[in-house]
Amino acid sequence: MRKKFTPLAFILATVVAPCNAQTESALDSMQHLQEVTISTTRIPELKSNAAATVTIIDNKQIEAMSKIAPDMSHLLGLLTPGMALSSNTTSSRAQSLRGRSALILIDGIPQSTPLRSTDRDIRTIDVSAIDHIEIVKGSTALYGNGAIGGLINIITKKNTTNRAIAGQTTLAGSTYNFFQQGKGQGYRINQQLYGKAGQFDYLISGTFGRTGSSVDGDGQFISPRYGLGDTYTTNTLVKLGYALSTKSRIELMYNFYRSLQDTKLIPSAGKYLQRPAIGVIGNRDPQAVDEGTRYNHNAYLKFTSRDIFKHTDLEAAIYGSSLYTVFDFRKANPAQPRWEETSGQSAVKDRKFGFRTQFTSHLTLSENAFAHLVYGYDYLFNKTAQPLVDGRLWMPWLRSNNHAPFVQMKATLWQWFNVKLGGRYDFINVSVPDYDVLRNKLSDPQVHVQGGSLHYNNLSFNVGLSYNKIREFQPFVAFSQGFSIFDLGRTLRAAKADVLSKISTEPVKTNNYEIGAYSQIGDWLQLNGSFFYTYSKLGSDLKIENGFWVVNRTPQKVYGIELSADAKILDNLKAGANLSWFEGKLKSASGEWDTYMSNISIPAAKLGMYVNYSPIKNTYLQLQYIHTGKRNRFTPNATGAYNEGEGIVNRINLLNFMAGMKLKAWDFSLAVSNLLNYTYYTPSSMLMARNAEYAHADGRNITLTATFKY
């Protein structure tokens, strides 16, 4: 039975604070609201000077969320204005940033796979390895291919002590509302060691965890299709640094991530708008293998030097990554055949190697005018394929070489007026081999595609102005461009033409306009608001055709607002709120903007609120509230069913709660997600309008965590 949102939740919601506020865990860390310095803009600067809307998810927030919902897609969905809630699955297809895809980075290493999207790039690292996350909204010219919705740079942890050895051990156990069938329990173990000896510093972190079977608010097993239940996760982070001198440093980072589902449940399809898809105990098909990310390796070797030349710093890095992720098993379906009418299970394999060289020159023009000039060169080699587990290739191995010189300048005049201007020129060559399209039906004509090379040359630039003389009103305006080879492999695997040159493979280019302001009122209140508008001549989302997702090439525009507030009400009480709303339209053949973009890209409005309170020293309480709006703008098709991506999305109201206490070196906490045990369908399951994916979200989940630091 569907549970109603009680009046108690509304009363609590009126006093809770924003998802992007600083999450503090004790009285001594709640004394003031601080300005935050970001580095993802390639020039370290205060967030309010960036001439863009920036969200910082700091270490305190990540620690708190790891106790409530230790999954990256949940964390970003709950804490990032402009991003939809998690689908509660391994897929992040409906989790766009301001209606478009974002470029996901780990310490600057691209996780996105533009040659063939995995929709898994958000879930490529465990929260235990993360120090903080920097999210720059809007298309950007700073990093090139893929950043048409913005950048999400995940910064890994590093040593923070001068002691030779220090560390912490964390143990956590969770249960779904004390579920009695023995399948709702999970656990997590994290061990960290870090320290410094002379010029050498290090950090080693290892995490292993397993979730129980996912259970909804009615005590029913949730369908395991793409599910996060019965999943074991392993993450290892190693970071080693050595100071060559007082000005130069070399650093090595390696991170390994694995997340695989191992369940005794099999999915039982639901009925859209009638009943949910559930999990039932049974035997899976003998051809099926565990789905999930079998491995994601990331590593870099970085050299930094201050004043390598006069007034000039250098950062140079080589990096590499290797990803293998397996999707769900599909039983042969005569009504909707694929893979030559056989059962199968597809995967994506991705390999990257690259290097970055960046110089930063500091220029003093006069006593009241100075500038920072960043310039350099990026190179990325990428190869990607989409094989089936049985060895057949659904998409052949594609190889790309991306060369990109760039320059970014920030000038400060009169110490309060900032001008930013930058550009990047990408040269991308993609090599496509001769290949045979894997037919859906054996009776379909065989298409043999003559391969070749695709060449993309693109100039992107950005300009921004910000004014910071008056702390209470710090406005900015900005224009930025972005481009993306949007899921090229999806287009190639469904080719109808026999020659590569006849296939539409143009990149998506976006123009992003934004106006906004930051405000600091005393030391107790921070405000931020912005309006944005983005246009693309070619579309950057997906549409359904004959049961398969294909790239929608219709012109698009997206526009919306973001508002946020953080307040220190008392020395031991912080609160605030954030709101994001945006809309997307398609241009029809008549030239009018009279068609809505799919719900996949344009989620309903989202309101986030929360409160942090420390009633006595070394104790903390946190209450978080999330509300999403309703979307019902599409009509059923001729058969009476909704097209995929156009389903009815109902409102959602959620409460999460956490309480804890610090006792010397110990930290004990109790966290409850979905406090009221609210039964609801996930936004993505509603909008997809698929019987197999029409699933409930998790019910009440209780987690006990103990951390010992030494």
Side-chain angles (χ1 to χ4, degrees):
M1 180 178 69
R2 186 177 181 84
K3 294 178 176 62
K4 301 297 183 181
F5 188 54
T6 68
L8 172 62
F10 177 79
I11 295 170
L12 292 171
T14 62
V15 296
V16 288
C19 296
N20 67 336
Q22 302 284 338
T23 300
E24 309 291 351
S25 60
L27 176 62
D28 58 359
S29 59
M30 299 179 67
Q31 297 301 315
H32 54 276
L33 297 172
Q34 293 182 330
E35 270 280 33
V36 181
T37 300
I38 62 173
S39 59
T40 299
T41 53
R42 288 196 131 150
I43 299 175
E45 59 187 344
L46 293 177
K47 177 173 83 168
S48 57
N49 292 347
T53 299
V54 178
T55 295
I56 306 295
I57 303 176
D58 66 19
N59 186 254
K60 295 291 185 181
Q61 288 177 281
I62 293 169
E63 285 185 1
M65 284 305 303
S66 69
K67 299 172 183 177
I68 297 173
D71 180 83
M72 278 296 296
S73 61
H74 282 293
L75 184 149
L76 288 170
L78 288 170
L79 301 184
T80 307
M83 179 173 278
L85 294 182
S86 169
S87 64
N88 204 39
T89 68
T90 56
S91 174
S92 57
R93 179 180 297 172
Q95 215 169 1
S96 63
L97 185 62
R98 286 187 171 180
R100 302 189 186 278
S101 60
L103 177 60
I104 313 296
L105 308 168
I106 294 178
D107 288 333
I109 303 173
Q111 303 302 295
S112 304
T113 52
L115 296 179
R116 175 63 185 97
S117 175
T118 63
D119 295 319
R120 305 294 189 276
D121 39 359
I122 289 178
R123 299 189 72 257
T124 52
I125 189 171
D126 189 76
V127 294
S128 62
I130 302 171
D131 180 76
H132 67 282
I133 304 171
E134 299 179 355
I135 304 161
V136 181
K137 313 290 183 63
S139 57
T140 176
L142 292 173
Y143 288 86
N145 185 20
I148 55 176
L151 288 169
I152 300 177
N153 194 13
I154 300 166
I155 313 297
T156 58
K157 290 182 175 178
K158 62 181 180 181
N159 172 58
T160 57
T161 181
N162 289 321
R163 297 167 57 185
I165 184 169
Q168 69 177 48
T169 302
T170 301
L171 302 175
S174 62
T175 178
Y176 281 95
N177 204 25
F178 301 108
F179 192 56
Q180 298 300 311
Q181 296 186 30
K183 294 294 293 180
Q185 289 72 41
Y187 61 87
R188 280 173 62 84
I189 304 170
N190 172 253
Q191 176 64 58
Q192 297 179 26
L193 292 173
Y194 43 86
K196 183 177 181 181
Q199 307 306 309
F200 174 75
D201 61 85
Y202 66 94
L203 179 140
I204 302 171
S205 174
T207 300
F208 181 78
R210 182 180 176 89
T211 61
S213 299
S214 295
V215 179
D216 66 16
D218 293 329
Q220 175 66 61
F221 288 122
I222 299 171
S223 171
R225 188 170 186 264
Y226 290 146
L228 298 178
D230 293 321
T231 296
Y232 60 89
T233 299
T234 304
N235 198 101
T236 302
L237 171 67
V238 178
K239 189 170 282 189
L240 308 174
Y242 186 80
L244 301 172
S245 69
T246 57
K247 294 184 177 181
S248 299
R249 172 181 170 84
I250 190 168
E251 185 174 88
L252 173 68
M253 184 279 288
Y254 168 73
N255 191 80
F256 168 79
Y257 174 78
R258 171 183 290 149
S259 179
L260 292 174
Q261 187 184 69
D262 179 18
T263 182
K264 294 181 180 180
L265 299 176
I266 59 174
S268 176
K271 181 67 174 176
Y272 185 62
L273 298 180
Q274 295 183 26
R275 65 178 187 275
I278 61 173
V280 296
I281 295 176
N283 297 317
R284 70 183 184 186
D285 192 290
Q287 300 178 70
V289 301
D290 289 344
E291 65 175 83
T293 298
R294 294 192 175 183
Y295 58 77
N296 183 41
H297 302 278
N298 283 277
Y300 70 67
L301 180 63
K302 181 167 61 178
F303 171 76
T304 56
S305 179
R306 291 184 293 110
D307 293 327
I308 192 168
F309 306 122
K310 189 174 182 179
H311 307 305
T312 299
D313 303 335
L314 169 66
E315 179 179 306
I318 58 173
Y319 63 85
S321 68
S322 179
L323 171 73
Y324 180 28
T325 190
V326 179
F327 302 109
D328 68 323
F329 178 80
R330 298 293 180 92
K331 187 75 174 176
N333 180 3
Q336 197 175 83
R338 62 172 66 196
W339 307 322
E340 298 176 331
E341 303 177 26
T342 64
S343 303
Q345 198 165 358
S346 72
V348 167
K349 294 183 177 182
D350 183 78
R351 310 285 184 268
K352 294 186 180 75
F353 170 78
F355 62 83
R356 297 189 301 268
T357 304
Q358 175 177 308
F359 294 93
T360 304
S361 295
H362 312 280
L363 310 175
T364 302
L365 307 177
S366 70
E367 183 178 345
N368 294 315
F370 51 90
H372 298 275
L373 184 66
V374 176
Y375 48 97
Y377 176 80
D378 289 347
Y379 169 75
L380 175 63
F381 170 77
N382 188 192
K383 68 174 186 177
T384 310
Q386 186 173 17
L388 301 184
V389 171
D390 61 21
R392 291 176 292 170
L393 285 175
W394 197 7
M395 183 199 83
W397 280 101
L398 307 180
R399 292 171 171 81
S400 71
N401 285 277
N402 186 347
H403 304 263
F406 65 88
V407 61
Q408 180 82 7
M409 182 273 293
K410 178 182 178 181
T412 301
L413 308 175
W414 305 290
Q415 299 185 4
W416 46 263
F417 183 68
N418 303 295
V419 180
K420 294 181 70 172
L421 180 65
R424 175 187 174 102
Y425 201 102
D426 282 275
F427 303 86
I428 303 179
N429 296 321
V430 180
S431 176
V432 181
D434 296 346
Y435 70 98
D436 293 321
V437 175
L438 195 58
R439 297 172 293 177
N440 294 332
K441 299 179 181 178
L442 289 171
S443 58
D444 291 341
Q446 180 66 65
V447 177
H448 176 77
V449 179
Q450 180 182 338
S453 296
L454 299 172
H455 304 284
Y456 303 96
N457 298 327
N458 183 78
L459 173 64
S460 301
F461 71 93
N462 66 87
V463 61
L465 306 173
S466 62
Y467 174 90
N468 307 116
K469 187 175 183 179
I470 304 172
R471 295 181 72 222
E472 291 77 12
F473 181 62
Q474 304 176 60
F476 68 85
V477 294
F479 169 79
S480 58
Q481 293 182 312
F483 94 108
S484 175
I485 306 172
F486 186 74
D487 211 351
L488 178 63
R490 189 182 291 273
T491 299
L492 296 181
R493 77 182 191 189
K496 305 299 181 184
D498 59 357
V499 179
L500 182 64
S501 60
K502 297 179 182 179
I503 304 172
S504 178
T505 58
E506 296 89 348
V508 176
K509 298 182 181 181
T510 58
N511 291 331
N512 182 74
Y513 306 84
E514 186 166 6
I515 182 171
Y518 290 89
S519 177
Q520 178 78 42
I521 300 175
D523 65 350
W524 69 277
L525 180 62
Q526 291 178 345
L527 304 172
N528 177 217
S530 65
F531 169 80
F532 63 90
Y533 172 89
T534 306
Y535 168 79
S536 61
K537 185 177 180 179
L538 293 177
S540 59
D541 66 349
L542 302 175
K543 63 179 180 179
I544 198 74
E545 282 188 3
N546 301 318
F548 292 90
W549 294 103
V550 298
V551 179
N552 188 348
R553 290 301 196 178
T554 307
Q556 298 175 340
K557 65 177 181 180
V558 180
Y559 51 91
I561 59 170
E562 289 184 16
L563 304 171
S564 68
D566 293 290
K568 187 192 73 171
I569 300 170
L570 299 171
D571 285 343
N572 61 345
L573 178 63
K574 281 180 59 177
N578 71 70
L579 171 69
S580 57
W581 172 91
F582 52 96
E583 187 57 270
K585 292 290 188 70
L586 302 173
K587 181 182 282 188
S588 64
S590 65
E592 300 295 327
W593 295 97
D594 54 7
T595 305
Y596 288 111
M597 286 177 60
S598 165
N599 289 334
I600 294 176
S601 295
I602 309 299
K606 185 175 71 172
L607 170 67
M609 308 173 74
Y610 88 76
V611 63
N612 283 341
Y613 178 53
S614 179
I616 59 176
K617 188 176 181 180
N618 295 325
T619 65
Y620 52 94
L621 299 173
Q622 176 179 307
L623 188 64
Q624 181 189 61
Y625 168 64
I626 297 292
H627 169 82
T628 61
K630 185 175 182 178
R631 281 282 164 92
N632 184 7
R633 55 179 43 162
F634 299 101
T635 56
N637 57 32
T639 66
Y642 284 88
N643 294 327
E644 294 181 15
E646 298 182 355
I648 298 173
V649 178
N650 293 314
R651 296 180 179 89
I652 294 172
N653 295 282
L654 291 176
L655 278 174
N656 298 324
F657 171 78
M658 184 175 66
M661 175 181 294
K662 291 187 174 183
L663 297 174
K664 296 183 179 180
W666 288 91
D667 186 329
F668 300 97
S669 69
L670 167 68
V672 185
S673 62
N674 194 357
L675 179 65
L676 302 180
N677 203 30
Y678 181 53
T679 301
Y680 67 100
Y681 291 92
T682 65
S684 63
S685 73
M686 290 186 279
L687 65 88
M688 286 298 183
R690 285 178 168 179
N691 292 335
E693 297 179 22
Y694 193 54
H696 282 155
D698 289 354
R700 181 188 293 121
N701 188 278
I702 302 166
T703 302
L704 293 171
T705 303
T707 299
F708 178 68
K709 294 186 178 182
Y710 45 89

